[in-house]
Structures are given as C-alpha cells and as structure tokens.
Amino acid sequence: MKAIEISRPGPPDVLTLVDRADPVPGMGEVLIRVAASGVNRPDVLQRMGAYPPPPGASDLPGLEVAGVIVAGDAEAMAAAGLSIGQRVCALTPGGGYAELCVTPAVQCLPVPDGLSDIEAASLPETCFTVWSNVFMRAALQPGETLLIQGGTSGIGVTAIQMAKALGATVIATAGSDAKCRACLDLGADHAINYRTTDFAEAARQFTGGRGVDVILDMVAGDYVAREVTALAEDGRLVIIAVQGGVKAQFDAGLVLRRRLMVTGSTLRPRPVAFKGAVAAALRERVWPLIASGRIRPVLHSVLPAADAAQAHALMESNQHVGKIVLTWPSVA
C-alpha cells in the first residue's frame, strides 16, 4: 500500500509518500480501504516528535479515516453491527495516512446518510473528543452555557454545532472578526475576538455576570487563570491541549469558593473499551443529528494524500476554518 511516513521529526516536508506492507487486522479489528484521511493537530505534534504513538500502534500518522471494510474479525464485526463492504468512518490508534488502515471494530461508525467519504473522514476525531470531554467529562446539560476556545478549529466547529443541537448556549472565541462571523454562522450565540477583547470579561457580560458553566480549552498556559474567573458556580474547565504552555497559575481560592472543577484528558491513550463506549453514544445521540443536517461537516481544504506536507503547513498557519482532509486517488 501507499502511505505517508514521518521520515524524521521535523517540519512538514519530512512527510514522505512511501510503500508499506499491507496491515493485517488482529482480534477485534477491521481492515479499512481508505478513501479519505482527516488531518488533526496531534498529527502535527507526532510529526514534530512531541506526541509518540502508544505502544503497539502504527508509527504512521492519522487518527481518523473513512472508507470501506475489506476484512476483519467476523465476531467483532457482528458485535459492532458491521459487515464486509460497509462504508464506515473510524477513529484509529494511528496509521490513518495510508491506503489501508487497521482499527478496532468498536471504533467504527457507519457513514451518516447523505455524506461523502471525504465529509465522513472529518468526523471521528473531533466528535469523539467533543463528546468525551464536553458531554461525558464536563456533563454539559441543556440550558447551560459552553465557552469554546478556538471556535473555528476542527474541534471548535464540531463543539459549536453539537452543543447547540443538544440545547446549550454557545460562546466561541476566534482570532479575527471574519472567524468570529464563521462561528456565528455555525450557530454560536456569541463570538469573541480574543485578539481585541478580554474573553473572560466578555463571557461574564454575555451571561449577566453569572459566568459560563463549561469551558473547552485547547490553550492552557495563562488562559487558565482567566478561565477560572469566567466560570459560574459549579463550573467545569476541561483542558484538551496545551498550545499556550503547560504551566498555569490561578486563584485556587476562587476554585474553592465557587466549587469549580479543573480537569483534562487525552483521547489516544484511552482503552479501546472506552472509545467503543464513546462510539456507541455518538451513534445513538449525534449520528441522527448529522443525518438530519443539524450538525454538518465543515471542510476547509481537501488535498491529495501526496500533499500531506501542504496540509500540515496549512494547519500550522491557523488560517483554516474547519477540517483539512487528505484523499487517496487509488480509491474512486
């Protein structure tokens, strides 16, 4: 098979198109002939040598794919409601930048009705991340307010739509007025240009001084202190990335007095059983919303897999709104 390999840690041009042996599915796994591969920030970190794959995972980047199941563990497929020849999208432990990819059967979901493989490939990583953090970990409820840092990122565009569809009020931050308009177009109730406005003060104003119930943070660093001040009583801050740095100082007394929760998680190292439970919840609660059009894929760029370096450079530029997807020309 053709695959995109990280030849050495470094800039985007270390991504190289190579020939690799076809992977073989093991117990509990399926083999997917990949039509499209989603590009995500962890792929960039892995390329730079800062996010190594977990033990036993492929060294190839790529955490989400869409395509057709061509082989696999029959018992596992039956238990997951899958079959040979079925179009699926899947969260992968790695190896998604390739014409063939192995992943646990329970991490596969049927391609929602009406979606192309390219659109479907943009869904798993962000949907799994948002559901597991915003709805499971932070327990966002209908009627509560969610503040999303980075509303036009792949995670952000998913979180805006998912939270709105499930009854929350949404505030999103973005780095330009144009990106703020994009957040509003996706359904956010309010958008804050963090380059010109103090997001914590604006969030308090939007909530009549009460504060927000949940914050989804991809920045950390010095954002954490301001986020703590923006939370309502019993508010929950969930940190899922540390683009602004790993160290933070904040008012711990405020955490005590307002009964705040500061938490975080990473998805890739979690057990297959956990990811399977997330997939089941998505299939029940979110996939119908995608099929009905209430949540839609947001694609910024679609590039051939051979241009993976260009895709990574685009992601690092932070100019995109939504997802970047690679396609495999060998697949019709």
Side-chain angles (χ1 to χ4, degrees):
M1 68 174 184
K2 298 290 184 184
I4 301 297
E5 183 179 82
I6 301 170
S7 59
R8 64 185 187 284
D13 62 9
V14 304
L15 295 172
T16 306
L17 184 65
V18 298
D19 290 308
R20 283 281 189 105
D22 293 354
V24 178
M27 184 178 298
E29 295 180 330
V30 297
L31 179 67
I32 298 171
R33 182 165 296 282
V34 178
S37 311
V39 177
N40 294 282
R41 188 73 58 173
D43 305 339
V44 173
L45 295 175
Q46 181 176 335
R47 190 205 74 224
M48 297 169 68
Y51 193 52
S58 170
D59 64 306
L60 298 174
L63 299 177
E64 61 183 351
V65 300
V68 175
I69 295 176
V70 293
D73 179 333
E75 185 175 340
M77 284 194 292
L82 304 173
S83 59
I84 300 294
Q86 184 176 359
R87 292 175 65 225
V88 294
C89 55
L91 185 76
T92 77
Y97 288 15
E99 292 179 311
L100 293 166
C101 179
V102 164
T103 198
V106 294
Q107 293 176 203
C108 296
L109 287 160
V111 172
D113 292 343
L115 263 59
S116 68
D117 289 335
I118 290 171
E119 291 170 320
S122 75
L123 296 175
E125 172 69 11
T126 56
C127 286
F128 276 72
T129 298
V130 172
W131 186 265
S132 62
N133 285 285
V134 174
F135 294 94
M136 294 174 66
R137 198 165 192 82
L140 181 71
Q141 299 298 310
E144 290 190 324
T145 300
L146 170 67
L147 171 62
I148 301 163
Q149 302 287 19
T152 56
S153 66
I155 295 288
V157 299
T158 300
I160 289 171
Q161 296 184 85
M162 199 181 293
K164 282 300 296 180
L166 293 171
T169 297
V170 174
I171 304 170
T173 70
S176 70
D177 290 344
K179 285 189 171 184
C180 284
R181 287 192 295 273
C183 292
L184 295 172
D185 289 343
L186 286 167
D189 297 279
H190 307 283
I192 303 166
N193 184 338
Y194 63 79
R195 298 186 189 278
T196 59
T197 304
D198 182 330
F199 70 78
E201 180 180 346
R204 289 192 296 270
Q205 290 176 351
F206 289 140
T207 57
R210 176 181 175 275
V212 301
D213 299 288
V214 175
I215 299 176
L216 181 63
D217 178 24
M218 293 164 263
V219 183
D222 61 8
Y223 267 42
V224 176
R226 286 183 281 165
E227 288 168 337
V228 165
T229 69
L231 284 168
E233 290 189 354
D234 297 303
R236 293 86 75 194
L237 166 61
V238 185
I239 301 169
I240 61 169
V242 290
Q243 296 176 32
V246 298
K247 294 184 178 181
Q249 291 184 319
F250 56 89
D251 185 345
L254 190 59
V255 174
L256 298 177
R257 293 190 299 274
R258 299 179 71 83
R259 302 178 303 279
L260 307 180
M261 180 177 75
V262 179
T263 185
S265 75
T266 56
L267 180 61
R268 194 176 190 183
R270 299 299 293 272
V272 170
F274 172 83
K275 296 173 188 174
V278 176
L282 288 171
R283 188 166 186 170
E284 177 184 353
R285 299 288 307 281
V286 177
W287 251 230
L289 298 172
I290 296 173
S292 70
R294 293 185 65 191
I295 297 173
R296 59 184 176 84
V298 180
L299 299 175
H300 184 275
S301 295
V302 179
L303 301 168
D307 291 339
Q310 183 181 338
H312 275 222
L314 175 58
M315 174 155 282
E316 291 182 77
S317 76
N318 292 319
Q319 297 304 305
H320 60 293
V321 175
K323 293 298 293 282
I324 303 165
V325 174
L326 302 175
T327 60
W328 293 91
S330 61
V331 180

